[in-house]
Amino acid sequence: MAKVLMIHPDKCTGCRNCELACSFEHEGQFRPGASRVQAYTWEREGMSVPMMCQQCDDAACVTVCPTGAMHRSTTRANLVDWDESTCIRCKMCTIACPFGNARYDAASSAIFKCDTCQGAPECVAFCPNGALEFVDDEQQVRSRKKAYAAKFKEAFQEVS
Amino acid sequence: MISERILILGNSAAAIAAVNAIRARGGKQAIAMVSNEPCTAYSPVLTTYYLRGEIPESALYFCDIGYYREHDVSCHFGTAVIALDAAAQRVTLDDGTRLDYDKLLIATGASAKRVTGLDPEIAAEVRYLRTVADARRIREAALGAKHIVMMGGGLVSLQVAGAVARPDLKVTCVVASRQILSQNVDATCAALVCGHVERSANIEVLFGASVAEITRSGGGYRVCLDSGAELQADVLAAGKGVSPNIEFVDRAQIAVDQGILVDEHLRTTFGNVWAAGDVAQGRNRVSGEVELVANWIDACEQGTAAGANMAGEALAFPGSVAENITTLFGVQVAALGITRSREGDGLREVTYLDEARGVYRRLLLRGEVMVGATLLRDVADVGVLRGAIAAGREPWPSAKAAAKGHVRYTGLFKAALTGR
Ligand SMILES: Cc1cc2nc3c(=O)[nH]c(=O)nc-3n(C[C@H](O)[C@H](O)[C@H](O)COP(=O)(O)OP(=O)(O)OC[C@H]3O[C@@H](n4cnc5c(N)ncnc54)[C@H](O)[C@@H]3O)c2cc1C
Ligand code: SF4
């Protein structure tokens, strides 16, 4: 069965191990700026949450990509994939994602987005707190993810 | 039963997004599409990459002929719409074809504004960049040229200048205002970009200058400026912004201001006619004004919403956001929302400049919420900033921190997670 990344904000301590694991896996260096997952911390509220590409069904980055480099994978379910060779680095996708989950990295001239490490996410393996999980894409998981996305959507449109 | 007939005028960002939205909803309508260009859909955005020789022409096209077959679209390509009778629900093409519809989407985009006041024969020789055919023509013209005069100093003008300039081909940009990119960024940012332009390419920028007259001279042109100065050129080019393609619209039937007026469902004032993309004029989410916003992302989003509405789903479009991100002479420049502040507009600016790294960032705020951002070189958080500007949220943890570094989070995230 296809798997999806699940976030448990209640368990995240903001230690940023996920960022280190991710950047090492993808770039061979411990550089949080090169990580596809970002652990956000609100100090005053005392809360943290790891964020990465949600592989949206209706992904804005895919809609706006003028070359088709950002596309829904045909070989793997639940993956929005970035094709380095057809990408022209116009950075439209990086504007389109309001959560910053597709970012342009000038140092490597690449678009950084979560690719779930081809099905074996390092962030999950290295999170000491169980705040990240890679689980079967079952109905229950889907609806939790949907509720989470809806919350963001609501906040996004609140003032519009 | 005869299925509903949807007619789409145009074959670019907005038009294709609409087709995708209709078919994604399982719509079985008969869709026909008209484009005055003979080819499948391509992106004008990519023409500058092609001009620079970074991609082959084939890479401009984001739909191949198979796309139209798979989405069951009948194509009338290479013919222009010359008349629309909304009351009769009929469109006339320049080859005499008449197409009847039940629902119509106007997504004919925009064309480069022409320079005025020139001798008509010479005016017809000025090169613009909008279409793939334009790009081919500029490429050919630049081949043997030694000096190109470019009228304008906006994004497209500079991209073209940068693409064609060579050690043996000089481009002179004649710019009416006191800065380049006057429609996109503030004077400080423009000056920083201009430094790059003049350092990295055989380009000269003349400010506060305008063309008084152009006459033929030798095999080329003599360009006389208002100041009395004269330039010799073998190719003329211009980039003066765009204007919507609406010649075929009858204003007595469909309300037009600068573009076709649309409501929040992208519907025009004529019930079964929608408009999306550069041709449409709707509410700007950030300024609150009903104005033209012409960019690729907006065209995609409007096309998606228009398609959904035409397919019978009531999908409100939250409004346009002016936005652009581009690479000029190796430097990333992004402009989001309101980027030009005016005397007495009550906006507060927070800026950050790191000369050593060549980084400049400027946020504009109304009260506590972000309404605009200009980013030079450091653009990694452009999506987060755009999201916050579009939603009218505050920067976080502070505007100063946001201007300085990447906005790792904005009020948008906070609201989503804490409900506040
Ligand atoms: C050089 C260049 C660089 C750009 N860079 C950027 C960028 O970096 N970021 C960004 O956001 N935007 C950029 N843009 C703008 C972007 O290309 C447009 O906003 C976008 O293409 C608008 O899409 P659209 O679908 O509304 O119309 P268009 O792309 O203008 O397409 C209009 C369609 O209608 C057809 N058509 C027009 N008139 C008729 C007629 N009478 N009859 C039949 N068919 C007709 C045309 O053939 C075409 O298929 C750039 C534009 C140019 C020219
Ligand atoms: S940067 Fe690459 S992936 Fe992103 S929109 Fe442009 S071409 Fe597509």
Side-chain angles (χ1 to χ4, degrees), chain A residues 16 19 38-42 45 47 49 64 66 88 90-91 94-95 97-100 103 151 156 158-160, chain B residues 46 49 55 62 285 296-297 325 327 332 380 382-384 387 391 393 396 408-409 412-414 416-418:
Chain A
R16 299 176 71 185
E19 295 184 1
Q38 308 275 308
Y40 297 109
T41 297
W42 286 262
E45 279 76 6
M47 65 177 300
V49 58
V64 304
I88 48 128
C90 69
K91 305 172 215 68
T94 73
I95 288 197
C97 179
F99 310 118
R103 287 178 305 127
K151 241 166 127 184
F156 188 58
E158 201 169 77
V159 198
S160 62
Chain B
L46 305 186
Y49 294 79
I55 54 171
F62 62 91
R285 230 174 138 167
W296 179 264
I297 295 176
I325 184 162
T327 303
Q332 288 76 246
V382 64
V384 176
R393 301 293 318 195
W396 184 263
R408 289 175 54 88
Y409 26 77
L412 176 58
F413 287 58
K414 194 179 130 209
L417 290 162
T418 64

Side-chain angles (χ1 to χ4, degrees), chain B residues 28-42:
Chain B
K28 295 273 178 283
Q29 301 89 333
I31 302 181
M33 219 168 180
V34 182
S35 162
N36 60 354
E37 294 173 88
C39 51
T40 59
Y42 65 90

Side-chain angles (χ1 to χ4, degrees), chain A residues 64-67 69-70 82 86-93 111:
Chain A
V64 304
C65 175
T67 64
M70 197 64 87
W82 173 66
T86 46
C87 172
I88 48 128
R89 280 46 169 189
C90 69
K91 305 172 215 68
M92 289 296 185
C93 52
I111 302 299

Side-chain angles (χ1 to χ4, degrees), chain B residues 72-236:
Chain B
D72 201 8
V73 174
S74 64
C75 307
H76 301 265
F77 292 170
T79 51
V81 175
I82 50 168
L84 159 63
D85 185 341
Q89 301 184 194
R90 172 172 290 184
V91 157
T92 309
L93 309 185
D94 64 359
D95 64 0
T97 307
R98 292 209 175 97
L99 298 171
D100 295 325
Y101 62 82
D102 298 307
K103 290 177 178 170
L104 179 75
L105 174 65
I106 305 176
T108 45
S111 298
K113 263 188 202 154
R114 309 283 137 168
V115 277
T116 51
L118 297 182
D119 169 82
E121 259 181 40
I122 290 180
E125 292 164 16
V126 177
R127 308 273 176 230
Y128 300 88
L129 180 61
R130 178 73 189 188
T131 65
V132 58
D134 291 340
R136 277 190 225 115
R137 276 195 290 267
I138 291 182
R139 240 191 156 170
E140 278 162 30
L143 280 178
K146 294 266 171 283
H147 192 186
I148 296 183
V149 167
M150 166 63 76
M151 292 167 262
L155 275 172
V156 173
S157 311
L158 291 177
Q159 301 237 28
V160 171
V164 298
R166 306 180 300 255
D168 62 339
L169 194 179
K170 179 177 173 176
V171 181
T172 302
C173 296
V174 178
V175 182
S177 55
R178 294 273 149 209
Q179 66 164 82
I180 55 169
L181 304 174
S182 60
Q183 301 301 308
N184 306 92
V185 303
D186 62 292
T188 309
C189 182
L192 289 165
V193 175
C194 199
H196 279 286
V197 174
E198 298 192 310
R199 249 178 303 175
S200 57
N202 193 4
I203 297 175
E204 178 189 26
V205 184
L206 304 177
F207 292 104
S210 50
V211 170
E213 192 190 18
I214 303 180
T215 52
R216 291 192 195 281
S217 147
Y221 312 92
R222 180 187 297 124
V223 180
C224 307
L225 304 182
D226 271 349
S227 62
E230 284 186 6
L231 302 166
Q232 203 58 40
D234 28 36
V235 176
L236 302 172

